[in-house]
């Protein structure tokens, strides 16, 4: 899965997307000006290859790539604080926000968002922080489960991240190689709980670029132990495994770019993210094409389903009005 530079496709990007080994496109803030413009860009991407997946990080809070013309979503921690006061109201908020986020994206023909975050917040990780629902694994499981239900009701697949948990390390894997020294038993009893409990409800999982040094010398996304032995066999996950960005510093311990790809595929990743480096993308497209020829068929499970009615019809429903009003009220309360 690769990215594109701006609000329109270049000829070089059309050529890049035409390769069958490319499974999809991840979009960023730089690709978005308005819902209408994004629909045009999405149509252009699908015009190259209709089956390409189109995704974005639309979690809410400080990780919401598309904003203008869409509902501003609260950070997940705001819903976690509500959970401490009123469990049922928080679960309804999580479900409504997951549905609203997914409905707005599906209305623009975006297949899925890389959400929800299943990490626990220990107060250690600045890159996770309020992106996490809570520090308690039971609360994260309940709230993320409600968020996933809302996404599914809008026809969108859910991607849980960052397995088996990024919240206990201070370093940011975008620019460093984080190390978590805790024992396997501790991780499985805490951070891995939401991944275990939601394994049969989440459609894809993104592993962390974190080295769990008491368990394996490789980051989770390059570790057959974490992805095959723990995630697949012990936790029973049968969905798609999506690597985190292979250009991040946290991926550097796996070697140069071709070695990172090979290690991620051997470990059990199905879809590889390569962002913000078109030259590397070209190199890796050629490398993977020589090995496998095309993207795996299982990625089709991440394709979005149509919203009922004509485009924009969901905005006239009571669910849209009620969900949006509740979110806006939460945002007002948080800013007060």
């Amino acid at each position: 899965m690769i990215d594109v530079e701006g609000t329109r496709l270049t000829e070089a990007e059309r050529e890049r997307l035409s390769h069958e080994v490319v499974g999809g496109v991840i979009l960023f803030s730089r690709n978005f000006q308005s819902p209408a413009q994004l629909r045009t860009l999405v149509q252009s991407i699908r015009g190259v290859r209709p089956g390409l997946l189109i995704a974005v990080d639309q979690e809410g809070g400080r990780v919401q790539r598309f904003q203008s013309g869409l509902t501003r979503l609260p950070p997940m921690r705001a819903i976690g604080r509500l959970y401490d006061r009123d469990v049922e109201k928080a679960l309804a908020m999580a479900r409504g926000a997951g549905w609203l986020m997914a409905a707005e994206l599906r209305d623009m023909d975006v297949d899925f968002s890389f959400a929800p975050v299943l990490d626990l917040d220990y107060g250690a990780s600045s890159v996770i922080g309020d992106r996490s629902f809570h520090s308690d694994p039971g609360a994260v499981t309940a709230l993320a489960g409600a968020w996933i239900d809302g996404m599914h009701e809008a026809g969108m697949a859910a991607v849980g991240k960052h397995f088996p948990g990024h919240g206990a390390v201070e370093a940011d894997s975008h620019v460093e190689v984080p190390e978590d020294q805790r024992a396997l038993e501790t991780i499985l009893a805490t951070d891995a709980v939401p991944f275990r409990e939601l394994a049969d409800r989440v459609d894809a999982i993104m592993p962390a670029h974190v080295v769990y040094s008491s368990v394996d010398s490789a980051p989770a996304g390059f570790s057959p132990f974490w992805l095959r032995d723990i995630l697949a066999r012990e936790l029973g996950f049968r969905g798609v495994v999506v690597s985190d960005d292979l250009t991040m510093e946290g991926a550097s311990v796996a070697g140069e770019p071709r070695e990172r790809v090979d290690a991620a595929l051997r470990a059990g990743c199905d879809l590889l993210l390569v962002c913000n480096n078109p030259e590397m993308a070209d190199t890796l497209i050629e490398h993977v094409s020589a090995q496998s020829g095309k993207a795996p068929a299982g990625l089709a499970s991440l394709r979005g389903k149509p919203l009922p009615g004509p485009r924009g019809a969901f905005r006239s429903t009571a669910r849209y009005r009620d969900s949006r009003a509740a979110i806006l009220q939460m945002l007002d309360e948080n800013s007060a």
Side-chain angles (χ1 to χ4, degrees):
M1 176 170 270
I2 62 176
D3 60 338
V4 295
E5 180 59 32
T7 56
R8 297 180 181 181
L9 291 184
T10 66
E11 286 306 312
E13 288 166 345
R14 290 178 186 277
E15 171 64 24
R16 200 170 288 129
L17 294 174
S18 69
H19 291 273
E20 288 192 344
V21 76
V22 176
V25 178
I26 179 172
L27 300 174
F28 292 94
S29 299
R30 66 175 182 264
N31 305 122
F32 179 83
Q33 292 176 335
S34 69
Q37 168 271 321
L38 187 71
R39 288 189 191 99
T40 300
L41 176 60
V42 169
Q43 288 172 359
S44 297
I45 294 170
R46 299 210 186 279
V48 178
R49 285 175 51 220
L52 285 169
L53 295 169
I54 300 175
V56 64
D57 286 304
Q58 192 84 343
E59 302 169 12
R62 54 196 163 95
V63 183
Q64 180 172 344
R65 308 304 188 200
F66 306 156
Q67 296 187 23
S68 177
L70 303 177
T71 304
R72 188 76 175 93
L73 300 167
M76 299 303 94
R77 173 45 59 87
I79 303 177
R81 286 195 293 266
L82 177 60
Y83 184 89
D84 291 334
R85 305 191 303 271
D86 189 328
V87 170
E88 292 306 315
K89 188 174 181 179
L91 292 175
M93 174 70 76
R95 188 168 188 156
W99 174 84
L100 180 60
M101 176 274 291
E104 289 186 337
L105 292 182
R106 288 299 305 128
D107 190 54
M108 298 182 293
D109 199 20
V110 174
D111 288 296
F112 67 92
S113 170
F114 288 101
V117 169
L118 302 185
D119 301 305
L120 308 185
D121 180 19
Y122 292 95
S125 174
S126 60
V127 73
I128 299 301
D130 65 0
R131 296 168 64 193
S132 166
F133 283 106
H134 211 281
S135 59
D136 177 74
V140 172
T141 299
L143 290 169
W147 186 281
I148 290 166
D149 288 344
M151 292 179 72
H152 285 169
E153 288 160 2
M156 178 173 284
V159 182
K161 57 188 185 183
H162 307 81
F163 175 79
H166 199 309
V169 292
E170 182 176 350
D172 179 353
S173 55
H174 292 85
V175 295
E176 301 176 77
V177 182
E179 180 182 354
D180 188 332
Q181 299 179 349
R182 293 177 300 161
L184 175 63
E185 294 75 15
T186 300
I187 296 169
L188 292 180
T190 53
D191 298 63
V193 169
F195 295 95
R196 175 187 293 110
E197 296 301 316
L198 298 171
D200 61 348
R201 295 167 64 186
V202 71
D203 305 278
I205 283 178
M206 175 182 286
H209 282 332
V210 174
V211 176
Y212 303 87
S213 54
S214 295
V215 182
D216 195 344
S217 60
F222 303 102
S223 168
F225 175 80
W226 279 115
L227 298 187
R228 298 190 187 278
D229 295 350
I230 300 299
L231 182 61
R233 295 192 183 100
E234 184 166 334
L235 274 59
F237 178 67
R238 297 291 180 265
V240 176
V241 178
V242 185
S243 84
D244 209 340
D245 183 5
L246 296 184
T247 71
M248 289 165 54
E249 184 61 26
S252 65
V253 295
E256 57 92 16
R258 293 180 183 86
E259 293 172 325
R260 299 177 199 182
V261 164
D262 294 342
L265 292 174
R266 283 196 304 269
C269 289
D270 304 295
L271 182 62
L272 310 179
L273 273 178
V274 183
C275 305
N276 302 310
N277 193 326
E279 292 79 13
M280 182 187 293
D282 287 335
T283 298
L284 297 182
I285 287 168
E286 180 180 353
H287 177 65
V288 178
S289 294
Q291 299 179 51
S292 59
K294 59 182 179 179
L299 300 184
S301 64
L302 301 183
R303 288 180 186 152
K305 298 176 177 60
L307 287 170
R311 192 173 72 195
F314 75 100
R315 295 179 185 273
S316 64
T317 64
R319 184 172 193 180
Y320 172 78
R321 292 192 298 271
D322 293 346
S323 297
R324 192 167 188 275
I327 289 169
L328 295 178
Q329 180 179 351
M330 172 173 280
L331 289 171
D332 288 341
E333 291 171 352
N334 285 345
S335 63

